[in-house]
Amino acid sequence: MRILLVGASGTLGRAVAAELGQRHEVIAAGRNSGSVKIDLTDVDSIRQGLQQAGELDAVISTAGKVTFAPLADFKAAPHGESLHTLGINDKLLGQVNLALAARDCLRDGGSITLTTGILSDQPIVAGSSASLVNGAVEAFVRAAAIELPRGLRINVVSPTVLIEAMSAYAPFFRGFEPVSAARAALAFSRSVEGAQTGQVYKVF
């Protein structure tokens, strides 16, 4: 398969590339790195990146930023001024736009795999925006799966905190059992190389 991996330079992205790269051609993409430049907050960038990548059997996103802050810091505010703006524009709308653009260029029977995280199920202090965004992405995937044309499939991988990221995130995830990026990467193989659609693959 020819697979476009957005977020390939990140901790999870590198593990996914290592896992799928053993059997398939993985094209690395990212905002500032990779052979294809894709900024999830820029629809034109998404479209141009997909066009540059050429014919594809799968599109994966391991990218997406959110704001971690105490709920007390979030004030009622319009989009653009709210602390939720980063997560909505990047991890939520960015991944949704990537999926919609991929739908129109993937080969028949191709797949789309997005990424969320454990906070859609297990909230933490300062993680309300991440929970909001993750839950919305997962709901979109379940709904999109019943309407995608041409035998296309869509799934989402929801990992817990990664072992490799604990140096930065440990204070937020006390009591959580982290998993290795390599273990989380297996769920992406399951999505790309399997036959299911509309699934949330939880790795925790």
Side-chain angles (χ1 to χ4, degrees), residues 63-139:
K65 297 180 179 179
V66 298
T67 297
F68 284 88
L71 188 64
D73 291 352
F74 288 83
K75 310 300 181 185
H79 183 70
E81 297 176 22
S82 170
L83 280 182
H84 288 298
T85 300
L86 174 63
I88 290 172
N89 285 352
D90 197 309
K91 192 171 186 180
L92 173 53
L93 189 57
Q95 290 197 103
V96 168
N97 281 335
L98 178 67
L100 294 174
R103 170 198 60 191
D104 299 330
C105 66
L106 279 167
R107 290 170 173 158
D108 290 359
S111 71
I112 301 161
T113 308
L114 308 182
T115 299
T116 56
I118 194 172
L119 299 188
S120 56
D121 292 273
Q122 301 292 331
I124 61 170
V125 171
S128 64
S129 194
S131 293
L132 179 154
V133 166
N134 288 348
V137 172
E138 291 174 10

Coordinates of all heavy atoms in Angstrom, one line a residue, residues 63-139:
A63 N -1.4 13.5 14.2 CA -1.1 14.9 14.6 C -2.3 15.5 15.2 O -3.4 15.0 15.2 CB -0.8 15.7 13.3
G64 N -2.1 16.7 15.8 CA -3.2 17.4 16.4 C -2.9 18.0 17.8 O -2.4 17.3 18.7
K65 N -3.0 19.3 17.9 CA -2.7 20.0 19.1 C -4.0 20.4 19.9 O -5.0 20.7 19.3 CB -1.9 21.3 18.8 CG -0.5 21.0 18.2 CD 0.2 22.3 17.9 CE 1.6 22.0 17.3 NZ 2.3 23.3 17.0
V66 N -3.8 20.5 21.2 CA -4.9 20.9 22.1 C -4.3 21.8 23.2 O -3.1 21.7 23.5 CB -5.8 19.8 22.7 CG1 -6.5 19.0 21.6 CG2 -4.9 18.9 23.6
T67 N -5.1 22.5 23.9 CA -4.7 23.3 25.0 C -4.9 22.6 26.3 O -6.1 22.2 26.6 CB -5.4 24.7 25.1 OG1 -5.0 25.4 23.9 CG2 -5.0 25.5 26.3
F68 N -3.9 22.4 27.1 CA -4.1 21.9 28.5 C -4.1 23.1 29.5 O -3.1 23.8 29.6 CB -3.0 20.9 28.8 CG -3.1 19.6 28.2 CD1 -2.6 19.3 26.9 CD2 -3.8 18.5 28.8 CE1 -2.8 18.1 26.3 CE2 -4.0 17.3 28.2 CZ -3.5 17.1 27.0
A69 N -5.2 23.3 30.2 CA -5.3 24.4 31.1 C -6.5 24.1 32.1 O -7.4 23.4 31.7 CB -5.6 25.7 30.4
P70 N -6.4 24.6 33.3 CA -7.5 24.4 34.3 C -8.8 25.0 33.7 O -8.8 26.0 33.0 CB -7.0 25.2 35.5 CG -5.5 25.3 35.4 CD -5.3 25.3 33.9
L71 N -9.9 24.3 34.1 CA -11.2 24.8 33.6 C -11.4 26.3 34.0 O -12.1 27.0 33.3 CB -12.3 23.9 34.2 CG -13.7 24.2 33.6 CD1 -13.8 23.9 32.1 CD2 -14.7 23.4 34.4
A72 N -10.9 26.7 35.1 CA -11.0 28.1 35.6 C -10.5 29.1 34.6 O -10.9 30.2 34.6 CB -10.4 28.2 37.0
D73 N -9.5 28.6 33.8 CA -8.9 29.5 32.8 C -9.8 29.7 31.5 O -9.6 30.6 30.7 CB -7.6 29.0 32.3 CG -6.5 29.1 33.4 OD1 -6.8 29.7 34.5 OD2 -5.4 28.6 33.2
F74 N -10.8 28.8 31.3 CA -11.6 28.9 30.2 C -12.8 29.8 30.5 O -13.5 29.6 31.5 CB -12.2 27.5 29.8 CG -11.1 26.6 29.2 CD1 -10.3 25.9 30.0 CD2 -11.1 26.4 27.8 CE1 -9.3 25.0 29.5 CE2 -10.1 25.6 27.3 CZ -9.2 24.9 28.1
K75 N -13.0 30.8 29.7 CA -14.1 31.7 29.8 C -15.0 31.6 28.6 O -14.6 31.2 27.5 CB -13.6 33.2 29.9 CG -12.4 33.4 30.9 CD -12.9 33.0 32.3 CE -11.8 33.3 33.3 NZ -12.1 32.8 34.7
A76 N -16.3 31.9 28.8 CA -17.2 32.0 27.7 C -16.7 33.0 26.7 O -16.5 34.2 27.0 CB -18.6 32.4 28.2
A77 N -16.4 32.6 25.5 CA -15.8 33.5 24.5 C -16.1 32.9 23.1 O -16.3 31.7 22.9 CB -14.3 33.5 24.7
P78 N -16.2 33.8 22.1 CA -16.4 33.4 20.7 C -15.2 32.6 20.2 O -14.1 32.7 20.7 CB -16.6 34.7 19.9 CG -15.9 35.7 20.8 CD -16.0 35.3 22.2
H79 N -15.5 31.8 19.2 CA -14.4 31.0 18.6 C -13.3 32.0 18.1 O -13.6 33.1 17.5 CB -14.9 30.3 17.4 CG -13.9 29.4 16.7 ND1 -13.4 28.3 17.3 CD2 -13.3 29.5 15.5 CE1 -12.5 27.7 16.5 NE2 -12.4 28.5 15.4
G80 N -12.1 31.7 18.3 CA -11.0 32.6 18.0 C -10.4 33.2 19.2 O -9.2 33.6 19.3
E81 N -11.3 33.5 20.2 CA -10.8 34.0 21.5 C -10.8 33.0 22.6 O -10.2 33.2 23.6 CB -11.8 35.2 21.9 CG -11.7 36.4 20.9 CD -12.7 37.5 21.2 OE1 -13.1 37.6 22.4 OE2 -13.1 38.2 20.3
S82 N -11.5 31.9 22.4 CA -11.6 30.9 23.4 C -10.3 30.1 23.5 O -9.7 29.9 22.5 CB -12.8 30.0 23.1 OG -12.8 28.8 23.9
L83 N -10.0 29.6 24.7 CA -8.9 28.7 24.8 C -9.1 27.3 24.1 O -8.2 26.6 23.9 CB -8.6 28.4 26.3 CG -7.8 29.4 27.1 CD1 -7.5 29.0 28.5 CD2 -6.4 29.7 26.4
H84 N -10.4 27.1 23.7 CA -10.7 25.9 23.0 C -10.3 26.0 21.5 O -10.3 25.0 20.8 CB -12.2 25.6 23.0 CG -12.6 25.0 24.4 ND1 -12.2 23.9 24.9 CD2 -13.6 25.6 25.2 CE1 -12.8 23.7 26.1 NE2 -13.6 24.7 26.3
T85 N -10.0 27.2 21.1 CA -9.7 27.4 19.6 C -8.6 26.5 19.1 O -8.8 26.0 18.0 CB -9.4 28.9 19.4 OG1 -10.5 29.7 19.8 CG2 -9.1 29.2 17.9
L86 N -7.5 26.4 19.8 CA -6.4 25.6 19.2 C -6.9 24.1 19.0 O -6.7 23.6 17.9 CB -5.2 25.6 20.2 CG -4.1 24.6 19.9 CD1 -3.4 25.0 18.5 CD2 -3.0 24.6 21.0
G87 N -7.5 23.5 19.9 CA -7.9 22.1 19.8 C -9.0 22.0 18.7 O -8.9 21.0 17.9
I88 N -9.9 22.9 18.6 CA -11.0 22.8 17.6 C -10.4 23.0 16.2 O -10.7 22.3 15.3 CB -12.1 23.9 17.9 CG1 -12.8 23.5 19.2 CG2 -13.0 24.0 16.7 CD1 -13.8 24.5 19.7
N89 N -9.5 24.0 16.1 CA -9.0 24.3 14.7 C -8.0 23.2 14.3 O -8.0 22.8 13.1 CB -8.2 25.6 14.7 CG -9.2 26.8 14.7 OD1 -10.4 26.6 14.5 ND2 -8.7 28.0 14.8
D90 N -7.2 22.7 15.2 CA -6.1 21.8 14.8 C -6.5 20.3 14.9 O -6.7 19.6 13.9 CB -4.9 22.0 15.8 CG -3.6 21.5 15.2 OD1 -3.6 20.3 14.9 OD2 -2.6 22.2 15.2
K91 N -6.7 19.8 16.1 CA -7.0 18.3 16.3 C -8.4 17.9 15.8 O -8.5 16.8 15.3 CB -6.8 17.9 17.7 CG -6.7 16.4 17.9 CD -6.3 16.0 19.3 CE -6.1 14.5 19.4 NZ -5.7 14.1 20.8
L92 N -9.4 18.8 16.0 CA -10.7 18.4 15.6 C -11.0 18.7 14.1 O -11.1 17.8 13.3 CB -11.7 19.1 16.5 CG -13.2 19.0 16.1 CD1 -13.6 17.5 15.9 CD2 -14.1 19.7 17.1
L93 N -11.1 20.0 13.8 CA -11.4 20.4 12.4 C -10.3 20.0 11.4 O -10.6 19.6 10.3 CB -11.7 21.9 12.3 CG -12.3 22.4 11.0 CD1 -13.6 21.7 10.6 CD2 -12.5 23.9 11.0
G94 N -9.1 20.1 11.9 CA -8.0 19.7 11.0 C -8.1 18.2 10.6 O -7.9 17.9 9.4
Q95 N -8.3 17.3 11.6 CA -8.5 15.9 11.2 C -9.7 15.6 10.4 O -9.7 14.8 9.5 CB -8.4 15.0 12.5 CG -7.1 15.0 13.2 CD -6.9 13.9 14.1 OE1 -6.3 12.8 13.8 NE2 -7.6 14.0 15.3
V96 N -10.8 16.3 10.7 CA -12.0 16.1 9.9 C -11.8 16.6 8.5 O -12.2 15.9 7.6 CB -13.2 16.9 10.6 CG1 -14.4 17.0 9.6 CG2 -13.6 16.3 11.9
N97 N -11.2 17.7 8.3 CA -10.9 18.2 7.0 C -10.0 17.3 6.2 O -10.1 17.0 5.0 CB -10.3 19.6 7.0 CG -11.3 20.7 7.2 OD1 -12.5 20.5 6.9 ND2 -10.9 21.8 7.8
L98 N -9.0 16.7 6.9 CA -8.1 15.7 6.3 C -8.9 14.5 5.8 O -8.7 14.0 4.7 CB -7.0 15.3 7.3 CG -6.0 14.2 6.8 CD1 -5.2 14.8 5.6 CD2 -5.2 13.7 7.9
A99 N -9.8 14.0 6.7 CA -10.6 12.9 6.3 C -11.5 13.2 5.1 O -11.6 12.3 4.2 CB -11.5 12.4 7.5
L100 N -12.1 14.3 5.1 CA -13.0 14.7 4.0 C -12.2 14.9 2.7 O -12.7 14.4 1.6 CB -13.8 16.0 4.3 CG -14.8 15.9 5.5 CD1 -15.3 17.2 5.8 CD2 -15.9 14.9 5.2
A101 N -11.0 15.5 2.7 CA -10.2 15.6 1.5 C -9.7 14.3 1.1 O -9.7 14.0 -0.1 CB -9.1 16.6 1.8
A102 N -9.3 13.4 2.0 CA -8.9 12.1 1.7 C -10.0 11.2 1.0 O -9.7 10.4 0.1 CB -8.3 11.3 2.9
R103 N -11.2 11.4 1.5 CA -12.3 10.7 0.9 C -12.4 10.8 -0.6 O -12.7 9.9 -1.4 CB -13.6 11.2 1.5 CG -14.9 10.7 0.8 CD -16.1 11.6 1.2 NE -15.9 13.0 0.8 CZ -16.6 14.0 1.2 NH1 -17.7 13.8 2.0 NH2 -16.4 15.2 0.7
D104 N -12.0 12.0 -1.1 CA -12.2 12.4 -2.5 C -11.0 11.9 -3.4 O -11.0 12.1 -4.6 CB -12.4 13.9 -2.7 CG -13.7 14.3 -2.0 OD1 -14.6 13.5 -1.9 OD2 -13.7 15.5 -1.5
C105 N -9.9 11.4 -2.7 CA -8.7 11.1 -3.5 C -8.2 9.7 -3.3 O -7.3 9.2 -4.0 CB -7.6 12.1 -3.3 SG -6.9 12.1 -1.7
L106 N -8.7 9.0 -2.2 CA -8.2 7.6 -2.0 C -8.6 6.7 -3.0 O -9.7 6.8 -3.6 CB -8.7 7.2 -0.6 CG -8.0 7.6 0.6 CD1 -8.8 7.3 1.9 CD2 -6.6 6.9 0.7
R107 N -7.9 5.6 -3.2 CA -8.3 4.5 -4.1 C -9.5 3.8 -3.5 O -9.7 3.9 -2.3 CB -7.2 3.5 -4.3 CG -6.0 4.1 -5.1 CD -4.8 3.1 -5.1 NE -3.7 3.5 -6.0 CZ -2.5 3.1 -5.8 NH1 -2.1 2.3 -4.8 NH2 -1.5 3.5 -6.7
D108 N -10.3 3.2 -4.3 CA -11.4 2.4 -3.8 C -11.0 1.4 -2.8 O -9.9 0.8 -2.9 CB -12.1 1.6 -5.0 CG -12.8 2.5 -6.0 OD1 -12.8 3.8 -5.8 OD2 -13.3 2.0 -7.0
G109 N -11.7 1.3 -1.7 CA -11.4 0.4 -0.6 C -10.3 0.9 0.3 O -9.9 0.2 1.2
G110 N -9.9 2.2 0.2 CA -8.9 2.8 1.0 C -9.4 3.1 2.4 O -10.6 2.9 2.7
S111 N -8.5 3.5 3.3 CA -8.8 3.7 4.7 C -8.3 5.1 5.2 O -7.3 5.6 4.7 CB -8.3 2.6 5.6 OG -6.9 2.6 5.7
I112 N -9.0 5.6 6.2 CA -8.6 6.8 6.9 C -8.5 6.4 8.4 O -9.4 5.8 8.9 CB -9.6 7.9 6.7 CG1 -9.8 8.2 5.2 CG2 -9.3 9.1 7.5 CD1 -11.1 9.0 4.9
T113 N -7.4 6.8 9.0 CA -7.3 6.6 10.5 C -6.9 7.9 11.2 O -5.8 8.5 10.8 CB -6.2 5.5 10.7 OG1 -6.5 4.3 10.0 CG2 -6.2 5.1 12.2
L114 N -7.7 8.3 12.1 CA -7.4 9.5 12.9 C -7.0 9.1 14.3 O -7.0 7.9 14.7 CB -8.7 10.4 12.9 CG -9.3 10.7 11.6 CD1 -10.5 11.6 11.8 CD2 -8.3 11.3 10.6
T115 N -6.6 10.1 15.1 CA -6.0 9.8 16.4 C -6.7 10.7 17.5 O -6.9 11.9 17.2 CB -4.5 10.1 16.5 OG1 -3.8 9.3 15.6 CG2 -4.0 9.9 17.9
T116 N -7.1 10.1 18.6 CA -7.7 10.9 19.7 C -6.9 10.6 20.9 O -5.7 10.8 21.0 CB -9.2 10.5 19.9 OG1 -9.3 9.1 20.1 CG2 -10.0 11.0 18.8
G117 N -7.5 10.0 22.0 CA -6.7 9.7 23.2 C -7.6 9.4 24.3 O -8.9 9.6 24.3
I118 N -7.0 8.9 25.4 CA -7.8 8.4 26.6 C -8.7 9.4 27.2 O -9.7 9.0 27.9 CB -6.8 7.8 27.6 CG1 -7.5 6.9 28.6 CG2 -6.0 8.9 28.2 CD1 -6.6 6.1 29.5
L119 N -8.4 10.7 27.0 CA -9.2 11.7 27.7 C -10.6 11.8 27.3 O -11.5 12.4 27.9 CB -8.5 13.1 27.6 CG -7.1 13.1 28.3 CD1 -6.6 14.5 28.3 CD2 -7.1 12.5 29.7
S120 N -11.0 11.2 26.2 CA -12.4 11.1 25.8 C -13.2 10.2 26.7 O -14.4 10.3 26.8 CB -12.6 10.6 24.3 OG -11.9 9.4 24.1
D121 N -12.4 9.3 27.4 CA -13.1 8.3 28.3 C -12.7 8.6 29.8 O -13.5 8.4 30.7 CB -12.6 6.9 28.0 CG -13.1 6.4 26.7 OD1 -14.2 5.8 26.7 OD2 -12.4 6.5 25.7
Q122 N -11.5 9.0 30.0 CA -11.0 9.2 31.4 C -10.5 10.7 31.5 O -9.3 10.9 31.2 CB -9.9 8.2 31.7 CG -10.2 6.8 31.5 CD -11.2 6.3 32.6 OE1 -11.2 6.8 33.7 NE2 -12.1 5.3 32.2
P123 N -11.3 11.6 32.0 CA -10.9 13.0 32.1 C -9.9 13.2 33.2 O -9.8 12.4 34.2 CB -12.2 13.7 32.5 CG -13.1 12.7 33.1 CD -12.7 11.4 32.4
I124 N -9.1 14.3 33.0 CA -8.1 14.7 34.0 C -8.3 16.2 34.3 O -8.8 16.9 33.4 CB -6.7 14.4 33.6 CG1 -6.3 15.1 32.3 CG2 -6.4 12.9 33.4 CD1 -4.9 15.1 31.9
V125 N -7.7 16.6 35.4 CA -7.6 18.1 35.6 C -6.8 18.7 34.5 O -5.8 18.2 34.1 CB -7.0 18.3 37.0 CG1 -6.8 19.8 37.2 CG2 -7.9 17.8 38.1
A126 N -7.3 19.8 34.0 CA -6.7 20.6 32.9 C -6.8 20.0 31.5 O -6.2 20.4 30.6 CB -5.2 20.9 33.2
G127 N -7.6 18.9 31.4 CA -7.8 18.2 30.2 C -9.1 18.4 29.5 O -9.5 17.6 28.6
S128 N -9.9 19.4 29.9 CA -11.3 19.5 29.4 C -11.4 19.7 27.9 O -12.2 19.2 27.2 CB -12.1 20.6 30.1 OG -11.5 21.9 29.9
S129 N -10.4 20.5 27.4 CA -10.4 20.8 25.9 C -10.0 19.5 25.1 O -10.6 19.3 24.1 CB -9.5 21.9 25.6 OG -9.7 22.4 24.3
A130 N -9.1 18.8 25.7 CA -8.7 17.5 25.0 C -9.8 16.5 25.0 O -10.1 15.9 24.0 CB -7.5 16.9 25.7
S131 N -10.6 16.5 26.1 CA -11.7 15.6 26.2 C -12.8 16.0 25.2 O -13.4 15.1 24.5 CB -12.3 15.6 27.6 OG -11.4 15.0 28.5
L132 N -13.1 17.3 25.1 CA -14.0 17.8 24.1 C -13.7 17.4 22.7 O -14.5 16.9 22.0 CB -14.1 19.3 24.3 CG -15.1 20.1 23.4 CD1 -15.5 21.4 24.1 CD2 -14.5 20.5 22.1
V133 N -12.5 17.7 22.4 CA -12.0 17.4 21.0 C -12.0 16.0 20.7 O -12.4 15.5 19.6 CB -10.6 18.1 20.8 CG1 -10.0 17.6 19.5 CG2 -10.7 19.6 20.8
N134 N -11.4 15.2 21.6 CA -11.3 13.7 21.3 C -12.7 13.1 21.1 O -12.9 12.3 20.2 CB -10.6 13.0 22.5 CG -9.1 13.3 22.5 OD1 -8.5 13.8 21.6 ND2 -8.5 12.9 23.6
G135 N -13.6 13.5 22.0 CA -15.0 13.0 21.9 C -15.7 13.3 20.6 O -16.4 12.5 20.0
A136 N -15.4 14.6 20.1 CA -16.0 15.0 18.9 C -15.4 14.3 17.7 O -16.2 13.9 16.8 CB -15.8 16.5 18.7
V137 N -14.1 14.0 17.7 CA -13.5 13.3 16.6 C -14.0 11.9 16.5 O -14.4 11.4 15.4 CB -12.0 13.3 16.7 CG1 -11.3 12.3 15.7 CG2 -11.4 14.7 16.5
E138 N -14.2 11.2 17.7 CA -14.7 9.9 17.7 C -16.1 9.8 17.2 O -16.5 8.9 16.5 CB -14.5 9.3 19.1 CG -13.0 9.1 19.5 CD -12.8 8.6 20.9 OE1 -13.8 8.3 21.6 OE2 -11.7 8.6 21.3
A139 N -16.9 10.7 17.6 CA -18.3 10.8 17.1 C -18.4 11.0 15.6 O -19.2 10.3 14.9 CB -19.1 11.9 17.9

